[in-house]
Amino acid sequence: MTRASEFRLALVQLLVSPLKADNLCRARSLVKEAAQKGASMVALPECFNSPYGTKYFPEYAEKIPGESTQMLSEVAKECEIYLIGGSIPEEENGMFYNTCTVFAPDGSMMLKHRKIHLFDIDVPGKIRFQESETLSPGNTLSTFDTPYCKVGIGICYDIRFAELAQIYTKKGCQLLLYPGAFNMTTGPAHWELLQRARAVDNQVYVAGVSPARDEKASYVAWGHSTVVNPWGEIVTKAGCDETIIYADVDLQYLTAVRQQIPIHSQKRHDLYSVEAVQE
């Protein structure tokens, strides 16, 4: 495949309400705005169609295809863009998943990524959250190809696991994209740090797309959707309000970084390796 050397990525930091219909309508409008401003790839945040929380997942869950993914398919086709549909609560055979779908410019679904690592944490005095109370983990790695580059998908907590990013990079990914709703404890501590770490470790672009912050919600998202380049620099970063941010992903710059510090050819495969156990 002959690839373009640069493309515009847009991250939609959506303010999510308890009304699914309003969330879908607002998401459609903002995705169309991003496309009109030149984005050829657009991403929505984690749980873009529903409030985030274990009590909400079963209430808002859909089958795929369903109402939310139908909207994503339609707007991807209308705008002729690659659309990363953040994530939605998915139901299948009585099981619930936190699931990201990706749509091609013709409206077809390219992949379905179920969150691999469930967000089960307990920080005394600050936050306790157990996704496993209602969700089941996914068991597949998720990449898709575009005329620009290959993209690896993780959801929120997936970003903490460096092995996943390493495997995606070995598979040829040059952009890692993580819809994620970090909170007011983990967000200021680790959201940007983890994105920069994954970018530097693998010499890739990393994008993290968060919901906007709603101080009245039961789970308050940190916001600050971000794009990081292969040198570990912040290309663009949102605040906490609803917005769209844009970044030009330059694959020639990525190649230059890898030539300047050639870690990929210097790895000691005779001493260590990170491999996928199942594809």
Side-chain angles (χ1 to χ4, degrees), residues 123-175:
V123 182
K126 294 185 177 180
I127 183 171
R128 181 183 184 276
F129 198 94
Q130 304 287 310
E131 272 190 331
S132 63
E133 290 175 354
T134 50
L135 297 181
S136 297
N139 295 308
T140 58
L141 307 180
S142 302
T143 67
F144 66 97
D145 221 335
T146 76
Y148 320 110
C149 67
K150 194 170 188 176
V151 183
I153 296 291
I155 299 175
C156 200
Y157 202 51
D158 286 341
I159 198 174
R160 289 189 180 270
F161 298 86
E163 297 88 347
L164 180 63
Q166 291 170 35
I167 290 167
Y168 282 167
T169 304
K170 286 179 69 174
K171 289 177 172 291
C173 294
Q174 295 170 304
L175 168 64

